[in-house]
Amino acid sequence: MSETYDVIGIGNAVVDVLSAADDNFLDIMGIEKGIMQLVEQTRAETLYAAMDARRQAAGGSVANTLAGLGMLGLRTGFIGRVRDDALGRFYAAEMEKEGTSFLNPPVPQGELPTSRSMIFITPDGERSMNTYLGISSEVGGGDVDDTAVSRSRILFLEGYLYDKDKGKEAFERAASACHEGGGKAGIALSDPFCVDRHRRDFRRLVTTLDYVIGNAAEWKSLYQCDDLDEALAAAARDCRLVVCTHSGEPVILIEDETRVEVPVTPATPVDATGAGDQFAAGFLYGYATGQPLAVAGKMGCVAAAEVIGHIGPRPEANVQHLFRQAGLI
């Protein structure tokens, strides 16, 4: 009998490769400071070779969320694409070590290399990210394990993969399998520019899903509204459960006729990387365990607050303990 999962995610499998650097190095290498930029394979290989004292971590938005859920005690599985190279084998092993089943074996030689993001950290704490998408963006319907997905309680999709027709095919196949098994399927919109590029398809997709997570910019892009309340009202007509984060403003959750606003405690982030990913982990933990909307939203805020308090996109503290301290469990 196939394994059962609380949450299965589909997303980009990206190895984060981190190295310390100074501003002079960035200038010499032509790296724009403090931003994320996409790079081609040759450029990626050049930057990788130039990194001093590299350290590696399994990354990617949905993968970070699954790691957070695994630390909270849920059984998780990941559908992603890596090549059978050193970084790909590392990625698959790291996911398994952290408690998430890696459901796709590394692809044999011949395709694109494993995706990686070369991250240069300067003494002022700025992160300059150079991401080569590689094989991870090639996820398609053939990568979906229908049996595993049909036996999962929740499916979580990464909006970034919607940039390719293969990704759209994978999402539709997985959502169908999840629903056939009685599970709930949803997505994180991921990026307002991605939403803008594929608005018609996203608008159709969200009507078929059980929950959609996005920030204010993504929701306004999806419904082409400058006014957030207007965009969310439109979203509520299309989506069964709408979740909206808004940079320090209250989180808004709308289900049927119920609208809940969850206040956010202001904090100065040490590193905002992973805030959205861990908000999703906290929210999905509440969703999976049958918590009321307000409690699930608060769980998302607690998990996000933990991760922005330190460097790195995954929790360091016991988030379940933080939930207890906040009176949520």
Side-chain angles (χ1 to χ4, degrees), residues 197-259:
R197 288 191 293 272
H198 305 283
R199 183 175 294 106
R200 179 179 296 179
D201 287 336
F202 268 118
R203 288 279 293 271
R204 178 182 54 80
L205 177 68
V206 300
T207 65
T208 71
L209 299 176
D210 300 284
Y211 66 92
V212 182
I213 302 171
N215 62 31
E218 290 155 5
W219 284 116
K220 288 193 282 188
S221 173
L222 186 61
Y223 289 95
Q224 295 178 282
C225 293
D226 292 327
D227 181 84
L228 179 59
D229 284 333
E230 185 181 340
L232 293 180
R237 292 192 288 270
D238 286 346
C239 311
R240 297 170 194 173
L241 172 54
V242 172
V243 182
C244 177
T245 60
H246 193 196
S247 298
E249 297 295 320
V251 174
I252 300 168
L253 305 99
I254 307 172
E255 186 175 33
D256 298 324
E257 298 298 317
T258 302
R259 174 175 167 136

Side-chain angles (χ1 to χ4, degrees), residues 20-61:
D22 57 24
D23 289 346
N24 186 53
F25 176 87
L26 299 186
D27 288 341
I28 291 170
M29 299 303 296
I31 296 168
E32 192 166 348
K33 186 175 179 177
I35 69 163
M36 192 285 283
Q37 53 190 345
L38 297 178
V39 298
E40 298 298 325
Q41 182 176 348
T42 302
R43 172 71 167 164
E45 291 169 352
T46 299
L47 293 176
Y48 183 79
M51 299 183 92
D52 184 45
R54 296 183 294 255
R55 59 187 177 92
Q56 298 174 174
S61 179

Side-chain angles (χ1 to χ4, degrees), residues 147-218:
T147 302
V149 174
S150 71
R151 294 178 61 82
S152 65
R153 295 169 59 205
I154 293 174
L155 175 68
F156 185 44
L157 307 172
E158 182 177 316
Y160 288 122
L161 285 176
Y162 221 55
D163 255 333
K164 292 194 174 183
D165 289 340
K166 288 181 178 181
K168 295 174 184 177
E169 177 192 345
F171 284 5
E172 290 173 10
R173 177 170 175 170
S176 177
C178 180
H179 285 146
E180 285 175 10
K184 305 286 190 183
I187 192 170
L189 294 175
S190 296
D191 180 82
F193 301 108
C194 185
V195 170
D196 193 52
R197 288 191 293 272
H198 305 283
R199 183 175 294 106
R200 179 179 296 179
D201 287 336
F202 268 118
R203 288 279 293 271
R204 178 182 54 80
L205 177 68
V206 300
T207 65
T208 71
L209 299 176
D210 300 284
Y211 66 92
V212 182
I213 302 171
N215 62 31
E218 290 155 5

